[in-house]
Amino acid sequence: MNRRLTLAASVSGAVTVALDGTVLTVAQPTLQRDLDATFAEVQWTSTGYLIAVAALLVFAGRLGDRYGHHRLFALGMLGFGAASAGIGLASGVGWVIGLRVVQGVFGALLQPATLGMLRAAYPPDRLRLPIAVRTSAIGVAAAAGPLVGGALVGWMGWRAVFFLHVVPTLVFGALALVVRQPKRPASRAALDLPGALLLAVTLACLVHTLVSGWSAASALGLVVAAFLVRHERRAASPLVPPDLLRSAAVGSALGVLVVASAALSGTLFVATYVLQDDLGLDPFQSALRSLPLAVLMVAAAPVSAVLLRRAGARRTTVAAMAVLALGILILSRAASGTLFLCAGFALIGAGFGTVMVAATHVVVRQAALASAGVAGGLQQTAMNVGPTVGVAVVIPLTGFGTGVPLVVLGVVVAAGAVVGLALSVRCATSGVNRARRGGRIRIPTRP
């Protein structure tokens, strides 16, 4: 598959997942009325999906390393589309919840593949622009999702938001199957099935705890996590390669992604109440006030590719985290007027868009070609767990007013910028370069 088609497929997969989350939020009230469902049942249409995705992302990345990212991408897209069609035809909320879990399984298969395909198609020093394009597309999807979802629900009902995914997923899934793919070195490591199972249970319990609070599942997660650490230390072929675990750059980038995505989701959660309850704006007026966030996020992605080349990952990430923190702190003064609102949202969009490109670039480039899928799975896990953490953190703080949780999030992001200081570590050599030269070749990166 040529690079342009690979990039188009990667973008389509990322946009599909981004649209799915945003349009579903708009459709949930109508879905609840039409299916006579309880609020808890409607919440499980999102929670079930999140648990399935979070539990399987890393193992799905390993499957892509072993059997080919294009194959996993095709399977994920086709399955995602079929599950979407099934949800659109569902007769009851039980079917919707069950099929959303199935959709989450296939979503987990395609998400790491969207990054793994880019790592396999592009040399390490040319990954910045493809990742920036992918990030811009996600920003457009996130901005357009509520508008598209609202129009579809108002015109055709909640089922239309699921039928929306069917055609593009089937088209790109079929293309990934029929287009001839270049030969690539596959991972020879055995599949760590016990490690995959232990990690899946740990992450599923973590997400369940963040969404529903402390329960028996939380205690189970702690026990299983202890077994996971013990198993991975002794496994001959651990699920996550040791070079990734030992990489300070990868660990720093993943930490930055968790903090930034948690801050963004927590801020948007609080901002909804600020705009509609504190300022008395209707949903459309609220959307207009927050539009600078989406615009600057889209614009920041290509700019961040230039910053990465000129300033390096460390300086770019630390500066972007500072901008993100400043935007959140300004938004805490939203009652001061429209100018503060727009400025805060603009800085948040610019900061988050840059962080996402820079940290993702580090994770994907740092990984050897044979571990690109696992790296993509780790990145996607951070991006899925982070928002759940953010909302879980701000909910108890809202009792002190809307300003307090925003100040706390801003301070956390500012502290998280320190984590970005580890991004000066040089990237590991790609598997392709090792194969070509028969030795270790350093790819210089700027601190």
Coordinates of all heavy atoms in Angstrom, one line a residue, residues 42-134:
V42 N -28.1 3.8 29.5 CA -27.5 4.6 28.5 C -26.0 4.9 28.8 O -25.2 4.9 27.9 CB -28.3 6.0 28.4 CG1 -27.6 6.9 27.5 CG2 -29.7 5.7 27.9
Q43 N -25.7 5.1 30.0 CA -24.3 5.3 30.4 C -23.4 4.1 30.0 O -22.3 4.2 29.6 CB -24.1 5.5 31.9 CG -24.6 6.9 32.3 CD -23.7 8.0 31.7 OE1 -24.1 8.7 30.7 NE2 -22.5 8.2 32.2
W44 N -24.0 2.9 30.1 CA -23.3 1.7 29.8 C -23.0 1.5 28.2 O -22.1 0.8 27.8 CB -23.9 0.4 30.3 CG -23.4 0.1 31.7 CD1 -24.0 0.3 32.9 CD2 -22.2 -0.6 32.0 NE1 -23.2 -0.1 33.9 CE2 -22.1 -0.7 33.4 CE3 -21.2 -1.1 31.2 CZ2 -21.0 -1.2 34.0 CZ3 -20.1 -1.6 31.8 CH2 -20.0 -1.7 33.2
T45 N -23.8 2.3 27.4 CA -23.4 2.3 26.0 C -22.1 2.9 25.8 O -21.4 2.6 24.8 CB -24.5 3.0 25.2 OG1 -24.6 4.4 25.6 CG2 -25.9 2.4 25.4
S46 N -21.7 3.8 26.6 CA -20.3 4.4 26.6 C -19.3 3.6 27.4 O -18.2 3.3 26.9 CB -20.4 5.8 27.0 OG -21.2 6.6 26.2
T47 N -19.7 3.2 28.6 CA -18.8 2.5 29.5 C -18.4 1.2 29.0 O -17.2 0.8 29.0 CB -19.4 2.4 30.9 OG1 -19.8 3.6 31.4 CG2 -18.5 1.7 31.9
G48 N -19.3 0.4 28.4 CA -19.0 -0.9 27.8 C -18.0 -0.8 26.7 O -17.0 -1.6 26.6
Y49 N -18.1 0.3 25.9 CA -17.2 0.5 24.8 C -15.8 0.8 25.3 O -14.8 0.3 24.9 CB -17.8 1.6 23.9 CG -16.8 2.0 22.8 CD1 -16.9 1.4 21.6 CD2 -15.9 3.1 23.0 CE1 -16.0 1.8 20.5 CE2 -15.1 3.5 22.0 CZ -15.1 2.9 20.7 OH -14.3 3.2 19.7
L50 N -15.8 1.7 26.3 CA -14.5 2.2 26.8 C -13.7 1.0 27.5 O -12.5 0.9 27.3 CB -14.7 3.3 27.9 CG -15.1 4.7 27.4 CD1 -15.4 5.6 28.6 CD2 -13.9 5.2 26.6
I51 N -14.4 0.2 28.2 CA -13.8 -1.0 28.9 C -13.2 -1.9 27.8 O -12.0 -2.4 27.9 CB -14.7 -1.7 29.8 CG1 -15.1 -0.8 31.0 CG2 -14.2 -3.0 30.2 CD1 -16.1 -1.4 31.9
A52 N -13.9 -2.2 26.8 CA -13.5 -3.1 25.7 C -12.2 -2.6 25.0 O -11.3 -3.3 24.8 CB -14.6 -3.4 24.7
V53 N -12.3 -1.3 24.7 CA -11.2 -0.7 24.0 C -9.9 -0.6 24.9 O -8.8 -1.1 24.4 CB -11.5 0.8 23.6 CG1 -10.3 1.5 23.1 CG2 -12.6 0.8 22.4
A54 N -10.1 -0.1 26.1 CA -8.9 0.0 27.0 C -8.3 -1.4 27.3 O -7.0 -1.5 27.4 CB -9.3 0.7 28.3
A55 N -9.1 -2.4 27.4 CA -8.6 -3.7 27.7 C -7.7 -4.3 26.6 O -6.8 -5.1 26.9 CB -9.7 -4.6 28.1
L56 N -8.0 -4.0 25.4 CA -7.4 -4.8 24.3 C -6.4 -4.0 23.4 O -5.8 -4.6 22.5 CB -8.5 -5.3 23.4 CG -9.5 -6.3 24.0 CD1 -10.7 -6.6 23.1 CD2 -8.8 -7.5 24.4
L57 N -6.2 -2.7 23.7 CA -5.4 -1.9 22.8 C -4.0 -2.4 22.6 O -3.4 -2.5 21.5 CB -5.4 -0.4 23.2 CG -6.6 0.4 22.8 CD1 -6.6 1.7 23.6 CD2 -6.6 0.6 21.3
V58 N -3.3 -2.7 23.7 CA -1.9 -3.1 23.7 C -1.8 -4.5 23.0 O -0.9 -4.7 22.1 CB -1.3 -3.1 25.1 CG1 0.2 -3.6 25.0 CG2 -1.3 -1.7 25.7
F59 N -2.6 -5.4 23.3 CA -2.6 -6.7 22.7 C -2.9 -6.6 21.2 O -2.3 -7.3 20.4 CB -3.5 -7.7 23.4 CG -3.5 -9.1 22.9 CD1 -2.3 -9.8 22.9 CD2 -4.6 -9.7 22.3 CE1 -2.2 -11.1 22.4 CE2 -4.6 -11.0 21.8 CZ -3.4 -11.7 21.8
A60 N -3.8 -5.8 20.9 CA -4.1 -5.6 19.4 C -2.9 -5.0 18.7 O -2.7 -5.4 17.6 CB -5.3 -4.6 19.3
G61 N -2.2 -4.1 19.4 CA -0.9 -3.6 18.7 C 0.1 -4.7 18.5 O 0.7 -4.8 17.5
R62 N 0.2 -5.7 19.5 CA 1.1 -6.8 19.3 C 0.6 -7.7 18.2 O 1.5 -8.2 17.4 CB 1.2 -7.6 20.6 CG 2.0 -8.9 20.5 CD 3.4 -8.7 20.0 NE 4.3 -8.1 20.9 CZ 5.4 -7.5 20.6 NH1 5.8 -7.4 19.3 NH2 6.2 -7.0 21.5
L63 N -0.7 -7.9 18.0 CA -1.2 -8.7 16.9 C -0.8 -8.1 15.6 O -0.5 -8.8 14.6 CB -2.7 -8.9 17.0 CG -3.2 -9.7 18.2 CD1 -4.8 -9.7 18.2 CD2 -2.8 -11.2 18.0
G64 N -0.9 -6.7 15.5 CA -0.5 -6.0 14.3 C 1.0 -6.2 14.0 O 1.4 -6.4 12.8
D65 N 1.8 -6.2 15.0 CA 3.2 -6.4 14.8 C 3.5 -7.8 14.3 O 4.4 -8.0 13.5 CB 4.0 -6.2 16.2 CG 4.0 -4.8 16.6 OD1 4.0 -3.9 15.8 OD2 4.1 -4.6 17.9
R66 N 2.7 -8.8 14.7 CA 2.9 -10.2 14.4 C 2.3 -10.5 13.0 O 3.0 -11.2 12.2 CB 2.3 -11.1 15.4 CG 2.5 -12.6 15.2 CD 4.0 -12.9 15.5 NE 4.2 -14.4 15.3 CZ 4.0 -15.3 16.2 NH1 3.7 -15.0 17.4 NH2 4.3 -16.6 15.9
Y67 N 1.1 -10.0 12.7 CA 0.4 -10.5 11.5 C 0.2 -9.4 10.5 O -0.3 -9.6 9.4 CB -1.0 -11.0 11.9 CG -0.9 -12.2 12.8 CD1 -1.2 -12.1 14.1 CD2 -0.4 -13.4 12.3 CE1 -1.1 -13.2 15.0 CE2 -0.3 -14.5 13.2 CZ -0.6 -14.4 14.5 OH -0.5 -15.5 15.4
G68 N 0.7 -8.1 10.8 CA 0.5 -7.1 9.8 C -0.5 -6.0 10.2 O -1.6 -6.4 10.5
H69 N -0.1 -4.8 10.3 CA -1.0 -3.7 10.7 C -2.2 -3.5 9.7 O -3.3 -3.2 10.1 CB -0.2 -2.4 10.9 CG 0.8 -2.5 11.9 ND1 0.6 -2.8 13.2 CD2 2.2 -2.4 11.8 CE1 1.7 -2.8 13.9 NE2 2.7 -2.6 13.1
H70 N -1.9 -3.7 8.4 CA -3.0 -3.5 7.5 C -4.1 -4.6 7.7 O -5.3 -4.3 7.5 CB -2.4 -3.6 6.0 CG -1.6 -2.4 5.7 ND1 -0.2 -2.4 5.9 CD2 -1.9 -1.2 5.1 CE1 0.2 -1.2 5.5 NE2 -0.8 -0.5 5.0
R71 N -3.7 -5.8 8.0 CA -4.7 -6.8 8.2 C -5.6 -6.5 9.4 O -6.8 -6.7 9.4 CB -4.0 -8.2 8.4 CG -3.3 -8.7 7.2 CD -2.6 -10.0 7.5 NE -1.9 -10.6 6.3 CZ -1.2 -11.6 6.3 NH1 -1.0 -12.3 7.4 NH2 -0.6 -12.1 5.2
L72 N -4.9 -6.1 10.5 CA -5.6 -5.7 11.7 C -6.5 -4.5 11.5 O -7.6 -4.4 12.0 CB -4.7 -5.5 12.9 CG -4.4 -6.7 13.8 CD1 -5.6 -7.0 14.6 CD2 -3.9 -7.9 13.0
F73 N -6.0 -3.5 10.7 CA -6.8 -2.4 10.4 C -8.0 -2.8 9.6 O -9.1 -2.3 9.9 CB -5.9 -1.4 9.6 CG -6.7 -0.2 9.1 CD1 -6.9 0.9 9.9 CD2 -7.2 -0.2 7.8 CE1 -7.7 2.0 9.4 CE2 -7.9 0.9 7.3 CZ -8.1 2.0 8.1
A74 N -7.8 -3.6 8.6 CA -9.0 -4.0 7.8 C -10.0 -4.8 8.6 O -11.2 -4.5 8.5 CB -8.5 -4.9 6.6
L75 N -9.6 -5.7 9.5 CA -10.5 -6.4 10.3 C -11.2 -5.5 11.3 O -12.4 -5.6 11.5 CB -9.7 -7.5 11.1 CG -10.5 -8.3 12.1 CD1 -11.6 -9.1 11.4 CD2 -9.6 -9.3 12.9
G76 N -10.5 -4.5 11.9 CA -11.1 -3.6 12.8 C -12.1 -2.7 12.1 O -13.2 -2.5 12.6
M77 N -11.8 -2.2 10.9 CA -12.7 -1.3 10.2 C -14.0 -2.1 9.8 O -15.1 -1.6 10.0 CB -12.0 -0.7 9.0 CG -11.0 0.4 9.3 SD -11.7 1.9 10.0 CE -12.0 2.8 8.5
L78 N -13.8 -3.3 9.2 CA -15.0 -4.0 8.8 C -15.8 -4.4 10.0 O -17.1 -4.3 9.9 CB -14.5 -5.3 8.0 CG -13.8 -5.0 6.7 CD1 -13.2 -6.3 6.1 CD2 -14.7 -4.4 5.7
G79 N -15.2 -4.9 11.0 CA -16.0 -5.2 12.2 C -16.7 -4.0 12.9 O -17.8 -4.1 13.3
F80 N -16.0 -2.9 12.9 CA -16.5 -1.7 13.5 C -17.8 -1.2 12.7 O -18.8 -0.9 13.2 CB -15.5 -0.6 13.4 CG -15.8 0.6 14.3 CD1 -15.3 0.7 15.6 CD2 -16.6 1.7 13.9 CE1 -15.6 1.8 16.4 CE2 -16.9 2.7 14.7 CZ -16.4 2.8 16.0
G81 N -17.7 -1.3 11.3 CA -18.8 -0.9 10.5 C -20.0 -1.9 10.7 O -21.1 -1.5 10.7
A82 N -19.7 -3.2 10.7 CA -20.8 -4.2 10.9 C -21.5 -4.0 12.3 O -22.7 -4.0 12.3 CB -20.2 -5.6 10.8
A83 N -20.7 -3.7 13.3 CA -21.3 -3.5 14.6 C -22.1 -2.2 14.6 O -23.2 -2.1 15.2 CB -20.2 -3.4 15.7
S84 N -21.6 -1.2 13.9 CA -22.4 0.1 13.8 C -23.7 -0.2 13.1 O -24.8 0.4 13.6 CB -21.6 1.1 13.0 OG -20.4 1.5 13.7
A85 N -23.7 -0.9 12.1 CA -25.0 -1.3 11.4 C -25.9 -2.0 12.3 O -27.1 -1.8 12.3 CB -24.7 -2.1 10.1
G86 N -25.3 -3.0 13.1 CA -26.2 -3.7 14.0 C -26.8 -2.8 15.1 O -28.0 -3.0 15.5
I87 N -26.0 -1.9 15.6 CA -26.6 -0.9 16.6 C -27.7 -0.1 16.0 O -28.7 0.1 16.6 CB -25.5 0.0 17.1 CG1 -24.4 -0.9 17.9 CG2 -26.1 1.0 18.1 CD1 -23.2 -0.1 18.3
G88 N -27.5 0.3 14.7 CA -28.6 1.1 14.1 C -29.9 0.3 13.9 O -30.9 0.9 13.8
L89 N -29.8 -1.0 13.9 CA -31.0 -1.9 13.7 C -31.4 -2.5 15.0 O -32.4 -3.2 15.0 CB -30.6 -3.0 12.7 CG -30.3 -2.6 11.3 CD1 -29.8 -3.8 10.5 CD2 -31.4 -1.9 10.6
A90 N -30.8 -2.2 16.1 CA -31.1 -2.8 17.4 C -32.5 -2.5 17.9 O -33.0 -1.4 17.7 CB -30.1 -2.4 18.5
S91 N -33.1 -3.5 18.5 CA -34.5 -3.3 18.9 C -34.7 -3.0 20.4 O -35.7 -2.6 20.9 CB -35.3 -4.7 18.7 OG -34.7 -5.7 19.4
G92 N -33.5 -3.0 21.2 CA -33.6 -2.7 22.6 C -32.2 -2.3 23.1 O -31.2 -2.5 22.4
V93 N -32.2 -1.6 24.3 CA -31.0 -1.1 24.8 C -30.0 -2.2 25.1 O -28.8 -1.9 25.1 CB -31.3 -0.2 26.0 CG1 -31.7 -1.0 27.2 CG2 -30.1 0.7 26.3
G94 N -30.5 -3.4 25.5 CA -29.5 -4.5 25.7 C -28.7 -4.8 24.5 O -27.5 -5.1 24.6
W95 N -29.4 -4.8 23.4 CA -28.6 -5.1 22.1 C -27.6 -4.0 21.8 O -26.5 -4.2 21.4 CB -29.6 -5.2 20.9 CG -30.2 -6.6 20.9 CD1 -31.5 -6.9 21.2 CD2 -29.6 -7.8 20.4 NE1 -31.7 -8.2 21.0 CE2 -30.6 -8.8 20.5 CE3 -28.4 -8.1 19.9 CZ2 -30.3 -10.1 20.1 CZ3 -28.1 -9.4 19.5 CH2 -29.1 -10.4 19.6
V96 N -28.0 -2.7 22.1 CA -27.1 -1.6 21.9 C -25.9 -1.7 22.8 O -24.7 -1.6 22.3 CB -27.8 -0.3 22.2 CG1 -26.8 0.9 22.1 CG2 -29.0 -0.1 21.2
I97 N -26.1 -2.0 24.0 CA -24.9 -2.2 25.0 C -24.0 -3.3 24.5 O -22.8 -3.1 24.4 CB -25.4 -2.4 26.4 CG1 -26.1 -1.2 26.9 CG2 -24.2 -2.8 27.3 CD1 -26.8 -1.4 28.3
G98 N -24.6 -4.5 24.2 CA -23.8 -5.6 23.7 C -23.0 -5.3 22.5 O -21.8 -5.6 22.4
L99 N -23.7 -4.7 21.5 CA -23.0 -4.4 20.3 C -22.0 -3.2 20.4 O -21.0 -3.2 19.7 CB -24.0 -4.0 19.2 CG -24.8 -5.2 18.7 CD1 -26.0 -4.7 17.8 CD2 -23.9 -6.2 17.9
R100 N -22.2 -2.4 21.4 CA -21.2 -1.4 21.6 C -19.9 -2.0 22.2 O -18.8 -1.5 21.9 CB -21.7 -0.3 22.6 CG -22.6 0.7 22.0 CD -21.8 1.7 21.2 NE -21.1 2.6 22.0 CZ -20.2 3.5 21.6 NH1 -19.9 3.5 20.3 NH2 -19.5 4.3 22.4
V101 N -20.0 -3.0 23.0 CA -18.8 -3.8 23.5 C -18.1 -4.4 22.3 O -16.9 -4.4 22.2 CB -19.2 -4.8 24.5 CG1 -18.1 -5.7 24.9 CG2 -19.8 -4.2 25.8
V102 N -18.9 -5.0 21.4 CA -18.3 -5.6 20.2 C -17.6 -4.5 19.4 O -16.5 -4.7 18.8 CB -19.4 -6.3 19.3 CG1 -18.8 -6.8 18.0 CG2 -20.0 -7.5 20.1
Q103 N -18.3 -3.4 19.2 CA -17.7 -2.3 18.5 C -16.4 -1.8 19.1 O -15.4 -1.5 18.5 CB -18.7 -1.1 18.5 CG -18.3 0.0 17.4 CD -19.4 1.1 17.4 OE1 -19.8 1.5 18.5 NE2 -19.8 1.5 16.3
G104 N -16.3 -1.9 20.5 CA -15.1 -1.5 21.2 C -14.0 -2.5 20.9 O -12.8 -2.1 20.8
V105 N -14.3 -3.8 20.8 CA -13.3 -4.8 20.4 C -12.7 -4.5 19.1 O -11.4 -4.5 18.9 CB -13.9 -6.2 20.4 CG1 -12.9 -7.2 19.9 CG2 -14.4 -6.6 21.8
F106 N -13.5 -4.2 18.1 CA -13.0 -3.9 16.8 C -12.3 -2.6 16.7 O -11.3 -2.4 16.0 CB -14.1 -4.0 15.7 CG -14.5 -5.4 15.4 CD1 -15.7 -5.9 15.9 CD2 -13.7 -6.3 14.7 CE1 -16.1 -7.2 15.6 CE2 -14.1 -7.6 14.4 CZ -15.3 -8.0 14.9
G107 N -12.8 -1.6 17.5 CA -12.1 -0.3 17.6 C -10.7 -0.5 18.2 O -9.8 0.2 17.8
A108 N -10.5 -1.4 19.2 CA -9.2 -1.7 19.7 C -8.3 -2.3 18.7 O -7.1 -2.0 18.7 CB -9.3 -2.6 20.9
L109 N -8.8 -3.0 17.7 CA -8.0 -3.6 16.7 C -7.5 -2.5 15.7 O -6.3 -2.6 15.3 CB -8.7 -4.7 15.9 CG -9.2 -5.9 16.7 CD1 -9.9 -6.9 15.8 CD2 -7.9 -6.6 17.3
L110 N -8.3 -1.6 15.4 CA -7.9 -0.6 14.3 C -7.1 0.5 14.9 O -6.3 1.1 14.1 CB -9.2 -0.2 13.6 CG -10.1 0.9 14.2 CD1 -9.7 2.3 13.9 CD2 -11.5 0.6 13.7
Q111 N -7.3 0.9 16.1 CA -6.6 2.1 16.6 C -5.1 2.0 16.6 O -4.4 2.9 16.1 CB -7.2 2.5 18.0 CG -8.6 3.1 17.9 CD -9.0 3.6 19.3 OE1 -8.4 4.5 19.9 NE2 -10.1 3.0 19.8
P112 N -4.5 1.0 17.2 CA -3.0 0.9 17.1 C -2.5 0.8 15.7 O -1.4 1.3 15.4 CB -2.7 -0.3 18.0 CG -3.9 -0.6 18.8 CD -5.0 -0.1 18.0
A113 N -3.3 0.1 14.9 CA -2.9 -0.1 13.5 C -2.8 1.3 12.7 O -2.0 1.4 11.8 CB -3.9 -1.0 12.8
T114 N -3.6 2.3 13.1 CA -3.5 3.5 12.4 C -2.1 4.2 12.6 O -1.6 4.9 11.7 CB -4.6 4.5 12.9 OG1 -4.4 4.8 14.2 CG2 -6.0 3.9 12.6
L115 N -1.5 4.0 13.7 CA -0.1 4.5 14.0 C 0.9 3.5 13.5 O 2.0 3.9 13.0 CB 0.1 4.7 15.5 CG -0.7 6.0 16.0 CD1 -0.6 6.0 17.5 CD2 -0.2 7.2 15.4
G116 N 0.6 2.2 13.6 CA 1.6 1.2 13.2 C 1.8 1.2 11.7 O 2.9 1.1 11.2
M117 N 0.8 1.5 10.9 CA 0.9 1.6 9.5 C 1.8 2.8 9.1 O 2.6 2.7 8.2 CB -0.5 1.8 8.8 CG -1.3 0.5 8.9 SD -2.8 0.6 7.9 CE -3.7 2.0 8.6
L118 N 1.6 3.9 9.8 CA 2.5 5.1 9.5 C 3.9 4.8 9.8 O 4.8 5.2 9.1 CB 2.0 6.3 10.3 CG 0.6 6.9 10.0 CD1 0.3 8.1 10.9 CD2 0.5 7.2 8.5
R119 N 4.2 4.1 11.0 CA 5.6 3.8 11.3 C 6.2 2.9 10.3 O 7.4 3.0 10.0 CB 5.6 3.1 12.7 CG 6.9 2.7 13.2 CD 7.8 3.9 13.4 NE 9.2 3.4 13.9 CZ 10.1 3.0 13.1 NH1 9.9 3.0 11.7 NH2 11.3 2.7 13.6
A120 N 5.4 2.0 9.7 CA 6.0 1.0 8.7 C 6.1 1.7 7.4 O 7.0 1.3 6.6 CB 5.0 -0.2 8.6
A121 N 5.3 2.7 7.1 CA 5.3 3.3 5.7 C 6.3 4.5 5.6 O 6.8 4.7 4.5 CB 3.9 3.8 5.4
Y122 N 6.6 5.2 6.7 CA 7.5 6.3 6.7 C 8.7 6.1 7.4 O 8.7 5.5 8.5 CB 6.7 7.6 7.2 CG 5.6 8.0 6.4 CD1 4.3 7.5 6.5 CD2 5.7 9.1 5.5 CE1 3.2 7.9 5.8 CE2 4.7 9.5 4.7 CZ 3.4 8.9 4.8 OH 2.4 9.4 4.1
P123 N 9.9 6.7 6.9 CA 11.1 6.7 7.7 C 10.9 7.5 9.0 O 10.1 8.4 9.1 CB 12.1 7.4 6.8 CG 11.5 7.3 5.4 CD 10.0 7.3 5.6
P124 N 11.7 7.1 10.1 CA 11.5 7.8 11.3 C 11.6 9.4 11.2 O 10.9 10.1 11.9 CB 12.6 7.2 12.2 CG 12.9 5.9 11.6 CD 12.7 6.0 10.1
D125 N 12.5 9.9 10.4 CA 12.7 11.3 10.3 C 11.6 12.0 9.4 O 11.7 13.2 9.3 CB 14.1 11.6 9.8 CG 14.3 11.0 8.4 OD1 13.6 10.2 8.0 OD2 15.3 11.5 7.7
R126 N 10.6 11.2 8.9 CA 9.6 11.8 8.1 C 8.2 11.5 8.7 O 7.2 11.6 8.0 CB 9.6 11.3 6.7 CG 10.9 11.7 5.9 CD 10.9 11.2 4.5 NE 9.8 11.8 3.8 CZ 9.5 11.5 2.5 NH1 10.3 10.6 1.9 NH2 8.5 12.1 1.9
L127 N 8.2 11.2 10.0 CA 6.9 10.9 10.7 C 6.1 12.1 11.1 O 4.9 12.0 11.4 CB 7.2 9.9 11.8 CG 7.3 8.4 11.5 CD1 7.8 7.7 12.8 CD2 6.0 7.9 11.1
R128 N 6.8 13.2 11.3 CA 6.2 14.4 11.9 C 5.0 14.8 11.1 O 3.9 15.0 11.7 CB 7.2 15.6 12.0 CG 8.5 15.3 12.7 CD 9.3 16.5 12.7 NE 10.7 16.2 13.2 CZ 11.7 15.9 12.4 NH1 11.5 15.8 11.1 NH2 12.9 15.6 12.9
L129 N 5.1 15.0 9.8 CA 4.0 15.5 9.0 C 2.8 14.6 9.0 O 1.6 15.0 9.2 CB 4.4 15.9 7.6 CG 3.4 16.5 6.7 CD1 2.9 17.8 7.4 CD2 3.9 16.8 5.3
P130 N 3.0 13.2 8.7 CA 1.8 12.3 8.7 C 1.1 12.3 10.1 O -0.2 12.3 10.1 CB 2.4 11.0 8.5 CG 3.7 11.2 7.7 CD 4.2 12.5 8.3
I131 N 1.8 12.4 11.2 CA 1.2 12.4 12.5 C 0.4 13.7 12.7 O -0.7 13.8 13.3 CB 2.2 12.2 13.6 CG1 2.8 10.7 13.6 CG2 1.6 12.5 15.0 CD1 3.9 10.5 14.5
A132 N 1.0 14.8 12.2 CA 0.3 16.1 12.3 C -1.0 16.1 11.5 O -2.0 16.6 11.9 CB 1.2 17.2 11.8
V133 N -0.9 15.5 10.3 CA -2.2 15.4 9.4 C -3.2 14.6 10.2 O -4.4 15.0 10.2 CB -1.8 14.8 8.1 CG1 -3.1 14.5 7.3 CG2 -0.9 15.8 7.3
R134 N -2.8 13.5 10.7 CA -3.7 12.6 11.5 C -4.3 13.4 12.7 O -5.6 13.3 12.9 CB -3.0 11.4 12.0 CG -3.8 10.4 12.8 CD -2.9 9.2 13.2 NE -3.7 8.3 14.0 CZ -3.8 8.4 15.3 NH1 -3.3 9.4 15.9 NH2 -4.5 7.4 16.0

